[in-house]
Amino acid sequence: MHFKLCLGALAASSSLLVSALPSADSSKVNAGLRLIKTSEADPGVWVTEDEKIEKYTAKNINFIDITDITDTYVLNSLSGVSESTIVERQAVTYPTTLTHVTEGNTFISRINMTVPQTVLRTFTEFTTRYYRSATGTQASTWLFNQLSSIAAVNSAITVTRFTHSFNMPSIIVKIPGTTTDLVIVGAHIDSVGSTTTGRSPGADDDGSGTVTILEAFRVLATSGFKPKNTLEFHFYAGEEGGLLGSAAIFSNYRTTGKRVLAMLNQDMTGYSPGGRPVVFTDYTNAALNTYMRLIVREYTGITSGTSSCGYGCSDHASATSNGFPSSFVHEDTMSGSSPYIHTANDAYSTIMWDAVQRHIKLTIGFLVEASYL
């Protein structure tokens, strides 16, 4: 996850700015440069992979890597074309009451916190999960094997790798429904410190979100849940590099005509001094956010807070820019979130497991309720 910081002055002073709708610049790409945007108004700046981390991520400056994005619709969205002029593929009407609470709570009673705790301990032992590193790829492989083991309870469940130009693949787990309409929960599996090679356990950012949706998947899979709509669990690579994994996946979904009813992002679920989940209202879908507030209240007993996280702060932005409704329910407000992210101190010992459990509950509640949309 990236924390928001205004970068207007830096963008305006740069001599490397290019068009917001750039033609492919093969010479810069071949030289190892990447084109990133730090705001809707920023036309973009070419940087190296190391500069992404050292000059932006380490300084809590949000950005989106647009080098590989060629879809004018998406580029326009990332450059601030209003939601009213970007027509989503198919509008979704969300219920104003929840009608599957008994079923949802039955699944919630089967949460076993030993599972996410055990998985996160191993996940944080990789030196770094930086998406271009060998240990990042190893972490993805290890997680793929854990998910495949869980999926073995039902031969209809699929666990697949979504490969990228960088080594670390994303992972997509699918519980098929009776419709092909998709309900998605996502978290990113990469981590980074202040440099591309430094120690970055990434316990909260975003090991916590990873184990949140893993445990939700385990509960539903082992319970034999048969959804109406197809459920997908996305484990994105390259979020810290500018939302790379999620951008590629949702671009693929857009071009192949998939229908996404709702996407819930779970980036950082394990540090919450305020003790309540927070719904971020920027770069998300207002109607889905209202629905998520109902779900949070029903399935956690807590009224959610409201905040914003800025441009390109996490993977929900990729769903939104491709025309799919997304929501981001975070661990706390921005000021209350973990102060340790993007450092070696984002350690297992800092995790507040009551917060993770809340997010597992609301994730299961969301998946069960939205599976009937």
Side-chain angles (χ1 to χ4, degrees), residues 262-284:
M263 182 270 183
L264 171 63
N265 187 27
Q266 291 288 263
D267 187 352
M268 298 172 58
T269 67
Y271 190 93
S272 184
R276 64 173 180 169
V278 170
V279 177
F280 285 148
T281 57
D282 53 341
Y283 303 99
T284 54

Side-chain angles (χ1 to χ4, degrees), residues 79-142:
S79 296
V81 176
S82 67
E83 184 177 346
S84 62
T85 61
I86 295 181
V87 180
E88 294 181 0
R89 175 171 291 106
Q90 194 164 357
V92 181
T93 299
Y94 300 103
T96 56
T97 58
L98 304 177
T99 56
H100 302 278
V101 175
T102 299
E103 185 178 21
N105 281 331
T106 297
F107 293 132
I108 284 171
S109 70
R110 298 169 185 169
I111 293 171
N112 179 358
M113 291 304 294
T114 300
V115 175
Q117 289 167 354
T118 301
V119 171
L120 186 61
R121 185 173 292 281
T122 298
F123 212 45
T124 56
E125 289 173 351
F126 292 94
T127 301
T128 178
R129 299 192 307 276
Y130 175 58
Y131 68 100
R132 292 168 59 85
S133 69
T135 51
T137 302
Q138 291 164 12
S140 178
T141 299
W142 180 83

Side-chain angles (χ1 to χ4, degrees), residues 238-259:
E239 188 271 353
E240 302 289 7
L243 316 187
L244 294 170
S246 60
I249 289 170
F250 284 112
S251 174
N252 174 273
Y253 283 18
R254 173 173 160 75
T255 57
T256 56
K258 293 190 177 182
R259 186 182 186 217

